[in-house]
């Protein structure tokens, strides 16, 4: 397949892979790999590793586990996605949002050290298993439980929560509190105990990483910050100066281990909601990022296979005592910009991360906590606080803006993990409200035409004595059917003259269930008590099928079904209508 200008943009054949290659895509692209792509893939893999290694240290800190566990996750994510994923530029690894959810679970469970590692590992594995269930049963629709407004607000609030948690590492103090408000107040109260040397290191680190972000430098600011912090720590003996360091970072990997069933059951009240939240956030990221790169480069992806890839990446990360992983837009974008042509780039990144763990890991023991805090603050502020999206929501849809604000307040007040649950409730609540209150405008005829418009938008449209024309703009089912009856009762009771004909335009009704069909039957009886008849216009075939099966059409009469609104109203329109 070729992209614009004849440049080859994909290595995958136009037909879908068959056999085992369908489930292990590396068998498909590996067979057709062109050595000319190797240079671009290797360069991209190196660039992404340089970005991911330092950031993964920070993400582990957010998750409440020792920093090496971020590298375990990064290695597992990049390698396993390269084997099982279908998007060629995607890089999978830890992210600030996922780490914030895992970290909230650690705080909620009040565990530290090995117990925190075990909890996060269990959450990561259960998240992976949920991804696999999603793929097997093709349940991608579950991601709709979190609206874009809720996700925007949730991430914004989670970023603030993480920043508040990192402030004491910048000032060399400590904080306590059950939520962000109390933690921040406690930090303010203890500000007089600030350690001067730690503040200098923290502030300089923030200036460096933010300054590089806004410069034209292509070198990752996180990499510069970590290397610079390590050099300064050794050169100026930070530990002797009382500046806290991250502590011992062992070389290599831990032995793969799965959490016991009893541990998962005992902690399921924490593990379950955290894994569900990670699934909703991770799946949204995965689908959006994979589709974006596939559209850009003109190849196909398999969403179910993407879920399998993310599921196995999380199971692998959890087995290695790592933290949750998903697609990373920043790493994937760097991968793409650096010339990645196939998942070989992700495989290269993974192997470089493994080498880092095997050779360089102990060097990170000298990294100051203030430097790590600056790296984390930079990552969450610029990666999770979408100010432009908040401005857009305020400008375009005030309701969505206030839903996002509610999600922010929920996270800051109840915590990140509870914020996910509250976010789902907000999304479902808004969905129910919208469906229970559909738009049902009264229609009038445009003078001299057969077109009917909403009277609210076109007040000069014509209406006729004894005729009511209404349009139902939603599916007619259990959540919305009562609204139609209530609206008709309201209009009938408010009318100055009795309606003898009611025309319901069904052009917006693309779905009807048994309760919706029953409601139409009840409306027929209601109309007869008022001495009126019901006519239906522009009814979709699938809706008609349900009404016929339920006997509604027999009761109404086939002659009361019309192809358009004008035909349904024709006998009420005089030869020379007036406004």
């Amino acid at each position: 397949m070729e992209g614009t200008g004849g440049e080859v943009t994909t290595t995958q054949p136009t037909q879908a892979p068959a056999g085992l290659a369908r489930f292990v895509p590396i068998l498909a692209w590996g067979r057709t790999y062109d050595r000319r792509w190797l240079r671009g893939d290797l360069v991209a893999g190196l660039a992404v590793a340089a970005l991911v290694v330092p950031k993964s240290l920070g993400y582990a800190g957010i998750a409440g586990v020792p920093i090496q566990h971020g590298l375990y996750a990064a290695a597992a994510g990049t390698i396993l996605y390269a084997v099982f994923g279908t998007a060629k530029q995607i890089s999978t690894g830890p992210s600030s949002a996922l780490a914030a959810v895992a970290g909230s679970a650690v705080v909620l469970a009040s565990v530290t050290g090995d117990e925190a590692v075990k909890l996060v590992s269990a959450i990561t594995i259960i998240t992976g298993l949920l991804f696999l269930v999603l793929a097997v049963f093709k349940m991608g629709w579950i991601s709709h439980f979190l609206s874009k407004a809720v996700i925007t607000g949730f991430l914004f609030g989670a970023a603030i929560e993480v920043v508040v948690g990192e402030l004491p590492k910048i000032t060399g103090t400590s904080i306590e509190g059950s939520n962000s408000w109390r933690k921040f107040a406690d930090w303010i109260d203890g500000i007089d105990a600030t350690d001067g040397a730690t503040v200098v290191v923290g502030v300089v680190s923030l200036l460096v990483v933010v300054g590089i972000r806004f410069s034209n430098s292509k070198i990752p600011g996180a990499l510069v910050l970590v290397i610079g912090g390590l050099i300064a720590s050794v050169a100026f003996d930070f530990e002797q100066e009382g500046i806290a360091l991250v502590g011992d970072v062992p070389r290599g990997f831990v032995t793969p281990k799965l959490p016991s069933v009893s541990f998962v059951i005992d902690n399921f009240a924490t593990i379950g909601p955290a894994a569900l939240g990670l699934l909703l956030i991770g799946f949204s990221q995965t689908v959006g990022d994979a589709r974006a790169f596939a559209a850009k480069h003109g190849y196909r992806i398999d969403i179910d296979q993407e879920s399998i890839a993310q599921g196995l990446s999380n199971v692998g990360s959890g087995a290695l005592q790592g933290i949750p992983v998903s697609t990373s837009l920043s790493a994937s974008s760097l991968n793409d910009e650096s010339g990645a042509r196939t998942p070989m780039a992700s495989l290269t990144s993974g192997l470089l991360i493994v080498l880092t763990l095997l050779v360089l890991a102990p060097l990170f023991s000298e990294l100051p906590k203030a430097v790590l805090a600056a790296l984390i603050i930079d990552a969450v502020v610029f990666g999770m606080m979408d100010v432009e999206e908040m401005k857009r929501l305020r400008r375009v849809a005030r309701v969505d803006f206030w839903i996002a604000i509610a999600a922010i307040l929920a996270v800051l007040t109840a915590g990140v993990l509870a914020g996910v649950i509250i976010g789902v409730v907000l999304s479902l609540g808004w969905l129910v409200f919208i469906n229970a209150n559909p738009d049902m405008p009264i229609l009038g005829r445009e003078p001299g035409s057969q077109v009917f418009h909403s009277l609210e938008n076109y007040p000069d449209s014509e209406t006729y004595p004894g005729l009511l024309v209404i349009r139902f703009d939603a599916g007619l089912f259990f959540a919305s059917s009562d609204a139609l009856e209530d609206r008709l009762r309201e209009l009938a009771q408010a009318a100055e003259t009795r309606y003898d004909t009611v025309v319901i335009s069904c052009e917006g009704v693309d779905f009807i269930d048994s309760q919706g069909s029953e409601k139409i039957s009840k409306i027929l009886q209601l109309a007869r008590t008022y001495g009126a008849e019901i006519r239906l216009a522009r009814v979709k075939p699938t809706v008609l099928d349900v009404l016929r099966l339920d006997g509604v059409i027999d009761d109404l009469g086939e002659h009361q079904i019309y192809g358009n609104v004008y035909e349904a109203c024709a006998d009420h329109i005089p030869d020379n209508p007036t406004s």
Side-chain angles (χ1 to χ4, degrees):
M1 186 182 294
E2 293 189 346
T4 56
E7 180 185 357
V8 177
T9 57
T10 180
T11 65
Q12 183 169 306
T14 55
Q15 67 270 21
L20 185 59
R22 178 183 174 187
F23 303 102
V24 188
I26 193 173
L27 298 178
W29 63 261
R31 291 193 199 103
T32 59
Y33 192 82
D34 190 325
R35 291 184 180 179
R36 291 176 297 175
W37 302 326
L38 185 60
R39 183 179 181 277
D41 284 340
L42 293 179
V43 170
L46 176 61
V48 170
L51 173 70
V52 167
V53 166
K55 282 199 168 186
S56 295
L57 304 178
Y59 296 150
I62 296 174
V65 297
I67 62 173
Q68 64 267 24
H69 293 271
L71 295 179
Y72 300 157
T78 50
I79 292 173
L80 288 171
Y81 183 84
V83 175
F84 296 101
T86 60
K88 294 168 179 50
Q89 285 75 31
I90 287 294
S91 178
T92 289
S95 75
S96 50
L98 303 184
V101 175
S104 179
V106 169
V107 171
L108 187 65
S110 300
V111 294
T112 57
D114 290 343
E115 287 299 303
V117 170
K118 188 188 296 186
L119 180 68
V120 172
S121 170
I123 290 171
T124 304
I125 290 172
I126 297 300
T127 301
L129 294 177
L130 289 177
F131 264 107
L132 296 177
V133 170
L134 206 71
V136 171
F137 293 100
K138 301 184 184 299
M139 295 171 60
W141 49 266
I142 198 174
S143 65
H144 299 158
F145 282 179
L146 279 179
S147 70
K148 179 68 181 298
V150 166
I151 291 176
T152 299
F154 166 78
L155 293 178
F156 209 106
I160 296 174
E161 165 101 352
V162 170
V163 170
V164 170
E166 295 302 315
L167 288 176
K169 298 175 185 176
I170 297 290
T171 56
T173 56
S174 61
I175 58 170
E176 293 182 355
S178 58
N179 59 37
S180 295
W181 309 107
R182 293 179 179 177
K183 288 177 183 177
F184 185 71
D186 192 54
W187 178 71
I188 293 294
D189 289 342
I191 202 73
D192 54 350
T194 294
D195 180 75
T198 302
V199 169
V200 171
V201 173
V203 171
V204 170
S205 297
L206 281 171
L207 291 174
V208 168
V209 73
V210 174
I212 292 175
R213 179 178 290 276
F214 287 99
S215 71
N216 293 324
S217 174
K218 292 188 177 181
I219 301 175
L223 181 64
V224 173
L225 182 61
V226 168
I227 292 176
L230 289 172
I231 293 173
S233 178
V234 174
F236 298 102
D237 199 0
F238 280 175
E239 187 173 19
Q240 188 67 30
E241 295 296 325
I243 298 172
L245 307 181
V246 298
D248 182 53
V249 179
R251 179 183 279 111
F253 287 89
V254 295
T255 303
K257 186 164 111 180
L258 298 176
S260 66
V261 174
S262 60
F263 178 83
V264 174
I265 293 174
D266 291 343
N267 293 274
F268 195 76
T270 301
I271 293 172
L276 179 60
L278 290 167
L279 173 71
L280 295 175
I281 297 168
F283 185 78
S284 298
Q285 290 178 338
T286 295
V287 172
D289 295 350
R291 282 177 173 161
F293 286 106
K296 179 179 178 181
H297 293 282
Y299 58 80
R300 294 185 302 173
I301 58 167
D302 182 335
I303 294 300
D304 291 329
Q305 184 61 34
E306 286 297 299
S307 294
I308 291 173
Q310 294 299 328
L312 293 175
S313 295
N314 275 282
V315 170
S317 174
L320 289 174
Q321 312 295 293
I323 63 178
V325 296
S326 182
T327 61
S328 168
L329 183 58
S330 59
S332 300
S333 298
L334 178 61
N335 206 26
D336 184 32
E337 293 166 4
S338 301
R341 306 296 292 276
T342 73
M344 178 64 76
S346 180
L347 201 58
T348 301
S349 297
L351 293 176
L352 289 172
I353 295 168
V354 169
L355 285 175
T356 300
L357 277 163
L358 295 175
V359 178
L360 302 177
L363 296 178
F364 296 122
S365 302
E366 299 295 326
L367 187 67
K369 288 186 177 180
V371 171
L372 191 63
L375 189 156
I376 291 171
I377 291 172
D378 171 77
V380 299
V381 168
F382 294 100
M384 295 168 64
M385 290 183 170
D386 195 340
V387 176
E388 290 305 313
E389 178 63 12
M390 291 294 290
K391 289 180 179 178
R392 189 186 74 86
L393 292 177
R394 188 174 185 274
R395 183 178 69 252
V396 174
R398 286 295 179 92
V399 172
D400 284 347
F401 172 76
W402 288 113
I403 287 175
I405 292 294
I408 293 173
L409 295 176
V411 170
L412 297 182
T413 304
V416 173
L417 191 56
V420 173
I421 299 171
I422 293 171
V424 171
V425 172
L426 283 172
S427 294
L428 293 178
W430 180 238
L431 180 64
V432 171
F433 177 80
I434 289 296
N435 281 284
N437 296 274
D439 196 19
M440 290 176 282
I442 298 174
L443 306 184
R445 175 173 171 256
E446 181 182 318
S449 76
Q450 296 185 7
V451 178
F452 279 74
H453 296 296
S454 166
L455 283 177
E456 184 178 351
N457 297 328
Y458 296 88
D460 293 333
S461 297
E462 297 174 346
T463 59
Y464 306 101
L467 174 67
L468 171 65
V469 184
I470 187 172
R471 188 179 68 228
F472 191 78
D473 289 339
L476 190 60
F477 63 113
F478 67 91
S480 62
S481 57
D482 285 342
L484 177 59
E485 181 180 0
D486 293 342
R487 175 70 163 151
L488 291 175
R489 285 184 183 275
E490 174 193 346
L491 293 172
Q493 293 169 1
E496 296 180 0
T497 59
R498 176 177 292 182
Y499 294 118
D500 57 63
T501 302
V502 177
V503 176
I504 303 175
S505 174
C506 300
E507 61 183 288
V509 181
D510 54 6
F511 168 74
I512 186 170
D513 68 356
S514 60
Q515 192 166 326
S517 177
E518 182 183 34
K519 185 60 65 177
I520 292 293
S521 183
K522 288 182 178 180
I523 288 172
L524 291 179
Q525 302 307 317
L526 173 66
R528 286 165 186 158
T529 63
Y530 281 91
E533 63 173 309
I534 297 292
R535 299 175 182 178
L536 304 181
R538 303 195 66 179
V539 187
K540 292 180 170 61
T542 53
V543 175
L544 271 178
D545 289 343
V546 174
L547 294 175
R548 284 197 177 95
L549 288 171
D550 204 24
V552 177
I553 299 302
D554 291 337
D555 187 20
L556 175 65
E558 291 280 356
H559 63 285
Q560 298 290 55
I561 308 295
Y562 294 86
N564 59 57
V565 175
Y566 181 81
E567 290 175 0
C569 302
D571 59 347
H572 282 70
I573 300 174
D575 293 337
N576 296 300
T578 57
S579 300

